[in-house]
Amino acid sequence: MNRGSELLLNFPLLLSFKDKDLKHISSGGKVAHKRGYDIRITKKDGVSVLPSSIESYNPTTGECNIWVLADSLVSGKAPEFMLYYSNAAMQMEPANLVWTDKFVSTWHLNKDFTGNGVKKLRATQVGTADADGKISGAKRFNNDNGDFAEYPFYEELNIKDAFTVSAWIYPEQIGRNQVIIGNHGDVPGGYSMYLDKQGSLNASFVNASGKKINLDNVGGAEKLEVGKWHHVAM
């Protein structure tokens, strides 16, 4: 795929904006719900409501981070949206339809370990602490404390076709292997995406017969810097 030349359909976009009118009414703004549930986004026709999901909303400053599912993105042309708010009758967040379709699950880790997607996949977590994220909140995993998040077996994650996994990560140290995401468990086979001791991105696959296939330093992966956000994908 040539960058910037593809027509993208049903693509999640993050809209980040701040406006005094988007403060809650108690702070001098015009938004009726303290969690921003009355904020709606439509196509430029002002009628066709687009699926959206609030990543974060600050009622005292009017700062918003909202995911919206754009029906299409055309190369070289910025999409246009309309923003609606101040409807006191809207007391619930719109149904989260942004991360359905081809997304098996997404974990934003800004509140808890429940994912969005075809099923709300929930994890058991040990340790971790809240932290500032690349977009909103995040979770901090401390290797020295043995922090992790573990999911029971979900058939939805037992993907048997082509797939992509990606994450925003903020390495605080190198010198040991650090698993980012993987599905090795009680059933044969699986995959993992991890940083090696040198800080390079790696992928590992195990087939159903137990044979391990390492793809170390996939595509000549660069060493990731400590103390910096990185978007990684496999």
Side-chain angles (χ1 to χ4, degrees), residues 162-197:
F163 66 95
T164 299
V165 294
S166 63
W168 279 102
I169 63 170
Y170 187 94
E172 294 184 316
Q173 60 177 264
I174 57 174
R176 68 179 79 184
N177 288 345
Q178 302 176 75
V179 176
I180 301 167
I181 187 171
N183 74 337
H184 296 294
D186 298 332
V187 297
Y191 62 85
S192 65
M193 179 169 66
Y194 64 97
L195 295 184
D196 65 15
K197 295 179 180 180

Side-chain angles (χ1 to χ4, degrees), residues 148-166:
F148 67 90
E150 183 177 54
Y151 293 78
F153 177 78
Y154 289 113
E155 184 60 39
E156 289 84 356
L157 297 181
N158 188 26
I159 304 170
K160 299 175 182 178
D161 202 346
F163 66 95
T164 299
V165 294
S166 63

Side-chain angles (χ1 to χ4, degrees), residues 30-143:
K30 298 180 181 178
V31 171
H33 199 285
K34 280 197 172 181
R35 294 189 178 182
Y37 290 168
D38 51 308
I39 297 174
R40 293 291 188 273
I41 298 170
T42 75
K43 297 180 183 180
K44 66 178 181 179
D45 62 12
V47 177
S48 306
V49 179
L50 293 169
S52 61
S53 176
I54 298 173
E55 179 78 14
S56 64
Y57 169 66
N58 189 322
T60 61
T61 65
E63 186 173 1
C64 305
N65 285 297
I66 300 178
W67 293 99
V68 60
L69 190 65
D71 55 358
S72 65
L73 288 178
V74 181
S75 175
K77 183 178 180 181
E80 296 181 45
F81 303 111
M82 295 287 288
L83 186 69
Y84 286 85
Y85 50 89
S86 200
N87 185 348
M90 298 289 187
Q91 291 298 310
M92 295 182 64
E93 186 177 9
N96 187 358
L97 302 176
V98 176
W99 305 107
T100 55
D101 193 25
K102 296 183 181 298
F103 290 90
V104 174
S105 192
T106 61
W107 296 278
H108 292 183
L109 306 187
N110 58 352
K111 298 174 184 176
D112 54 30
F113 286 86
T114 301
N116 297 311
V118 295
K119 185 176 180 180
K120 290 186 177 296
L121 308 182
R122 185 181 297 274
T124 299
Q125 57 90 21
V126 173
T128 75
D130 292 335
D132 292 330
K134 174 67 175 178
I135 297 169
S136 179
K139 295 292 183 181
R140 183 175 185 268
F141 295 85
N142 189 325
N143 272 325

